[in-house]
Amino acid sequence: MSNQEYVEELRAERDYVAALYTRLDAERARVHAAHSAALRGNDLGPMERDVEVRAQAKQLKRLDGVDNGLCFGRMDDLAGESSYIGRIGLFDENDEYEPLLLDWRAPAARPFYTATAAHPEDMRRRRQFHTRDRQVRGFTDEVLGRPQGDENGDAALLAAVNAPRGAGMRDIVATIQAEQDEIIRLEHPGVLVIEGGPGTGKTVVALHRVAYLLYTQRERMERHGVLVVGPNPAFLNHISRVLPSLGESDVVFTTTGGLVPGMHVTAEDGPEAARHKGALTILDVLAAAIAGRQRLPEEPLLIELADLVVRIDAETAEWARQEARDSELPHNEARPVFRDIIEYVLTERATARIGKGWLSREDRATWESIRKEVLAELAESQQFADALDRLWPILTPQSLLAPLYESPERLRAAGAPQSLLRSDGAAWTVSDVPLLDELADMLGTSGSTAESTERETRAEAEYAAGVLEILQVDRQDLMDDEDHLLAQDLVEAEDLAQRYVEQDTRDVAERAAADRDWTYRHVVVDEAQELSEMDWRVLMRRCPSRSFTVVGDLAQRRSPAGTTSWSSVLEPYVPGRWAYRSLTVNYRTPAEIMSVAAGVLAEFAPDVAAPESVRACGVRPWSRQVDAAELPTAVAEFVRTEAAREGTSVVIGPPGAPGAVTPSETKGLEFDAVLVVDPQRILARGARGAAELYVALTRATQRLGVLHRDDELPPALAGLAQAPASLTER
């Protein structure tokens, strides 16, 4: 194509894309008007109005998220027909809804990603646009079906991976590769594991898979939404823009520490404590801790009534405890069983003492009358309430676990290691979250909570019955009028009450965040190798359908309680229902940096092959030796130098390193430039220190530097080029 032809083609493409934006703006204005009308009511009932408001608000959010890079390419088939591919589908309303823009997830758009020179799939040409905001800056053509064709669309791909990094992760919708597209569109109803080394795009592939599932299974998935679990808040912030940019918003982002509403993680466990808390054997500890709070009195507990004193002895309490345990109800829900046995014994004994000498058991009416009076006294007795609380207390997960951690005696009694002991039991850690979640089920709701819920339900039903009475609906007349009878005409008070309760105007994310019992239709787990056995139990409870996309790299595991085998954690939950796919091409880390990281990988995971980098950057990684006094100055110099360049940078080091973040805080993130300080101290952080150094080295997309103290570089880094005394000389 001559330069003149290119200019003319570019002008035509700009005109077409401008028309797409005009259509997008018109659709946005239409939805905005519909949203405003719904807010005003427009003769809609309250329920219908709220449904319409939420639907239009969701559509507005979808349209607002696709403004940047709306259309990213075009494909031409052998018949000369052209199709434009973009973030969402747009249609020409004036031409029987002729498609102006194909949604990238639509089946018709798939050849844009899968067609190659060897297998063109009836495509003649693939054109990829280079855009900024709403403007097409240029395009790259790939002619298909010829031996000299470029199978992978390298020009557009390399332009994307070489571009400076911004504040958040970018989608890859314009440059999805064939191996990635296969995973994104995989029709698998169970758990899909995507494993890949650093820079292989496993996270962004998982997010595009979510967008694809929401597109193809929207009716099934959107009401309950999708949960995305990441390793830390910085990572979640990094990836949070991807799905909205693809037109999807029914997604909840959280860390494992946020899986229990209202929880605040303020502390960190040592390796030994984290390992014990993450293992399934902790379930026995929790059960023993609960049993330890179901106590027998050492001395009889006296209850003073109006005419006599009754007592709860160890024998009575033991019978009641056994009956409550045999009920197999959660602890709090078994308390009424315990109370009923105690009340039965006390009232029988009290009645016998009151009627001694004059009351026969054959006189059941009098006997029962006295029993009821005694029972009423017990219900009003603070001594009796205190005794129940002492012997079978109502417990919350927090009120059980915090005292357990603070007491060496309770830990021993529960069979727990003393490594769990801490001075502030309520200083919660990430490892405590699955335990607290487990205890919510093991303890159950308290009787007072259940009674309160029942009262609220009765009140709502009474209100609904009043509404029906006001409406004065003659149901028999409705039933006689067979021509006009509809299903919604037959409504009971309880049905109307349920509709009233279900009417919740919050969006999915808000409702899910406040509801520990919320379940999702699909769950994405990133950095899944860090999850413990207990973490997996929490997540499986959150998704009864067991529909998961699991993303990880076992070689990068740093948690002592983390996953060592996908089969070992998944087979107990989804036997035979999980699939494995791997990504082997590194799109992020240049070859010069990956060769350094591969040396570290070879030392701690010799059986794992490093991903193959798709590009080189032409800049050699370097190292520089500094003493303790020089280190802060050298770090500041790196920060100052990188601030003058386009892109992002970070300093990574062991805890306490000046101006540095730890490797775990950068999991899943990427930066144009990375400075690693004190690599030897990172390696010294236990058995997973090498994995942490591997993570640190593979965050850079362009430039990597290493600062080490007077000690020598770790052997795996010995090949780094020596930097000059000043970074400004580089």
Side-chain angles (χ1 to χ4, degrees), residues 60-87:
L60 266 180
K61 187 181 294 186
R62 173 175 173 267
L63 294 173
D64 287 341
V66 300
D67 206 71
N68 188 18
L70 172 66
C71 175
F72 45 77
R74 157 186 151 185
M75 57 184 183
D76 303 336
D77 63 21
L78 296 177
E81 296 291 327
S82 297
S83 300
Y84 287 83
I85 315 298
R87 299 181 180 280

Side-chain angles (χ1 to χ4, degrees), residues 209-289:
R209 175 168 167 76
V210 169
Y212 176 75
L213 292 175
L214 285 167
Y215 177 80
T216 57
Q217 303 177 29
R218 187 168 303 280
E219 185 175 345
R220 185 180 74 87
M221 297 183 69
E222 69 177 353
R223 286 188 62 189
H224 284 253
V226 173
L227 175 67
V228 176
V229 181
N232 53 59
F235 172 82
L236 295 177
N237 183 60
H238 181 62
I239 69 172
S240 62
R241 305 177 188 181
V242 173
L243 285 167
S245 75
L246 299 173
E248 302 299 346
S249 59
D250 290 329
V251 181
V252 177
F253 293 89
T254 189
T255 64
T256 53
L259 288 171
V260 175
M263 269 289 299
H264 298 288
V265 172
T266 60
E268 183 176 352
D269 279 316
E272 189 68 11
R275 184 175 64 81
H276 281 294
K277 291 180 183 179
L280 293 180
T281 51
I282 198 68
L283 294 171
D284 296 330
V285 172
L286 299 180

Side-chain angles (χ1 to χ4, degrees), residues 546-563:
R546 303 291 195 261
S547 178
F548 280 71
T549 299
V550 175
V551 181
D553 179 11
L554 295 179
Q556 294 187 58
R557 180 179 68 89
R558 58 176 295 277
S559 169
T563 299

Side-chain angles (χ1 to χ4, degrees), residues 31 34-41 43-60 222-223 250 498-508 511:
V31 175
H35 181 252
S36 298
L39 287 173
R40 291 193 300 270
D43 300 325
L44 294 174
M47 296 180 186
E48 291 83 359
R49 172 185 173 275
D50 288 340
V51 169
E52 182 67 12
V53 166
R54 286 205 303 273
Q56 297 301 335
K58 182 182 297 184
Q59 182 70 348
L60 266 180
E222 69 177 353
R223 286 188 62 189
D250 290 329
Q498 185 62 29
R499 294 185 194 178
Y500 175 81
V501 173
E502 289 176 352
Q503 200 57 35
D504 191 335
T505 59
R506 295 173 298 172
D507 62 23
V508 168
R511 285 179 286 156

Side-chain angles (χ1 to χ4, degrees), residues 88-125:
I88 61 172
L90 288 176
F91 300 87
D92 185 355
E93 287 187 323
N94 299 321
D95 190 14
E96 297 183 354
Y97 283 88
E98 182 72 20
L100 302 174
L101 184 68
L102 282 178
D103 191 301
W104 68 275
R105 296 163 289 194
R110 184 166 189 175
F112 184 79
Y113 302 108
T114 58
T116 65
H119 302 283
E121 300 191 28
D122 295 326
M123 292 294 116
R124 181 176 62 85
R125 178 173 62 185

Side-chain angles (χ1 to χ4, degrees), residues 3 19 148 189 191 216 320 334 338 388 396 434 491 528 535 608 644 711 714:
N3 185 61
Q148 66 268 31
V191 176
T216 57
F338 179 84
L388 288 178
T396 66
V491 56
D535 289 327
V608 178
D711 53 351

Side-chain angles (χ1 to χ4, degrees), residues 11 44 49-50 186 198 261 281 373 390 406 453 523 685:
R11 184 182 300 114
L44 294 174
R49 172 185 173 275
D50 288 340
L186 184 65
T281 51
E373 290 179 6
R390 180 177 173 183
E406 295 172 354
T453 302
V523 175
R685 285 175 54 79

